Amino acid sequence: MQVKHSKYKNTGILFELLVRQITADTLDGKDSPAKDILKKYFVKSELGREYKLYETLLKRTSLTEGKATVVVNTLIESSKTLNRGAIKRQKYNLISEIQKHYDLNEFFNHKLPNYKVFAAFYTLLEITNSQEDINIEQTINNKVTILEHLAAAKITEDRVITDSMVEFEQADKGVRLLAYKTILENFNTKYDDLHPHQKEILKEFITSVDNTSRLKDFYTSKIVEIKEKLTSINKVTKNETTKIKINEIINIIQPPTKTTKITDNDLVDLLQYYDLINELETING
């Protein structure tokens, strides 16, 4: 049996996209239907129990291959204790409720840093809990993907079969890590203190996390806007010392080059520049 992945049925993806939607709605200054939907379907529910398996998988990294194999096998066995019928019904109702409040194409039109792991784990669970014959090749491929996430270097099919030991090679995710840290930890009241421009920046960094070209264009446009605002402020600033400092900042701020990679430091810079602009406008106002 060949199992086809479906992002509409993937519990991990559904949860992550709801969290992302909560963040986007909060940054827009409006109540988020996604917040109530998440609570309804993932708190004390069978779907929530299944998400715990995905969550455990994501939290475990830098393991030896032996320990990674134990984790995978334990999660698979745990999935067998879940009520598959209840999960299927809850997913159907969840999608229906999301559709009442959001455009489904737009809601699902986001890349996730862990998409490949989510897809592999979903497919592996579907194969494991199916009554049909197991597709050995697909099972091995999924385990390879998951063990690469859990362990530490490229794991070949031979190593999965022979249970060899390897070390993890963890890539630097840069902006992705920052954006998801923002999504998961800071989507609540912290945003109440931010300036509208800062909220816009955070929202764009979240939605463009996997679109480096769009992110770079956005960053460039903001740099141009900031320089223009500072130049305009400097014209009406009376304090000569302040004018000199503003000029120095204007000269320091430069648009990215073709080879520049936008990172979390650039995000922090933009937020701080708008803090400065807000402060200067208050002083001059």
Side-chain angles (χ1 to χ4, degrees):
M1 178 189 71
Q2 182 79 19
V3 175
K4 185 177 181 181
H5 175 248
S6 171
K7 60 185 178 181
Y8 293 90
K9 298 179 182 179
N10 189 307
T11 302
I13 289 176
L14 288 168
F15 183 91
E16 294 296 324
L17 289 178
L18 281 170
V19 173
R20 176 180 287 221
Q21 189 64 56
I22 291 170
T23 307
D25 290 344
T26 303
L27 290 174
D28 282 338
K30 59 185 180 182
D31 292 333
S32 178
K35 186 175 182 180
D36 293 330
I37 294 173
L38 188 145
K39 287 181 179 179
K40 180 177 179 180
Y41 288 94
F42 286 92
V43 176
K44 296 181 180 180
S45 68
E46 205 67 7
L47 195 58
R49 288 181 63 198
E50 183 174 64
Y51 174 70
K52 286 294 182 181
L53 303 182
Y54 285 83
E55 184 181 43
T56 301
L57 181 66
L58 291 183
K59 286 182 177 179
R60 301 288 183 131
T61 56
S62 303
L63 303 179
T64 63
E65 188 177 331
K67 289 182 179 179
T69 301
V70 170
V71 170
V72 173
N73 291 338
T74 301
L75 293 177
I76 290 174
E77 288 303 311
S78 296
S79 75
K80 295 178 181 179
T81 67
L82 301 177
N83 186 327
R84 309 309 301 178
I87 290 175
K88 185 176 181 180
R89 289 192 299 273
Q90 288 169 14
K91 285 181 183 178
Y92 177 83
N93 293 334
L94 170 59
I95 293 297
S96 297
E97 194 147 350
I98 292 173
Q99 194 171 19
K100 292 178 183 178
H101 300 279
Y102 304 101
D103 179 271
L104 282 185
N105 289 330
E106 185 175 329
F107 182 85
F108 281 95
N109 189 29
H110 295 288
K111 293 182 180 180
L112 297 175
N114 296 304
Y115 182 89
K116 188 177 180 180
V117 177
F118 280 144
F121 191 56
Y122 165 86
T123 307
L124 189 59
L125 293 185
E126 289 298 306
I127 292 173
T128 300
N129 292 284
S130 172
Q131 300 299 319
E132 299 183 36
D133 292 336
I134 293 176
N135 186 311
I136 299 299
E137 182 178 355
Q138 189 178 24
T139 301
I140 291 174
N141 289 337
N142 289 324
K143 284 190 175 182
V144 167
T145 299
I146 295 168
L147 290 176
E148 284 180 353
H149 162 75
L150 292 170
K154 281 291 182 180
I155 300 174
T156 64
E157 293 183 8
D158 290 339
R159 287 184 177 180
V160 173
I161 296 170
T162 60
D163 290 331
S164 302
M165 301 297 289
V166 294
E167 295 181 355
F168 184 56
E169 180 180 272
Q170 191 172 26
D172 177 19
K173 296 300 181 182
V175 178
R176 294 181 183 179
L177 286 178
L178 176 73
Y180 276 86
K181 182 179 180 182
T182 301
I183 291 173
L184 296 175
E185 298 178 1
N186 300 322
F187 70 82
N188 202 353
T189 56
K190 181 176 179 180
Y191 291 120
D192 292 339
D193 298 325
L194 293 180
H195 189 275
H197 287 298
Q198 293 174 316
K199 291 183 179 181
E200 179 191 4
I201 291 167
L202 284 173
K203 181 178 179 181
E204 187 62 34
F205 265 70
I206 290 169
T207 56
S208 301
V209 68
D210 278 313
N211 190 332
T212 55
S213 177
R214 173 177 166 175
L215 194 59
K216 195 169 188 176
D217 289 342
F218 174 80
Y219 176 79
T220 302
S221 69
K222 287 300 166 187
I223 286 297
V224 172
E225 180 180 297
I226 287 167
K227 287 175 73 74
E228 290 176 352
K229 283 183 176 292
L230 288 175
T231 300
S232 177
I233 289 172
N234 211 25
K235 290 180 180 179
V236 296
T237 299
K238 297 179 181 180
N239 186 287
E240 289 301 321
T241 302
T242 302
K243 289 176 70 73
I244 293 172
K245 290 182 178 179
I246 294 175
N247 270 326
E248 290 176 352
I249 295 171
I250 293 172
N251 292 330
I252 290 173
I253 300 174
Q254 297 297 329
T257 65
K258 290 183 178 180
T259 58
T260 300
K261 179 182 177 182
I262 306 303
T263 69
D264 54 340
N265 289 330
D266 298 309
L267 166 60
V268 173
D269 286 343
L270 290 182
L271 296 176
Q272 289 178 339
Y273 289 143
Y274 276 108
D275 259 343
L276 174 63
I277 289 171
N278 189 44
E279 183 179 344
L280 289 171
E281 287 178 338
T282 301
I283 294 173
N284 290 333

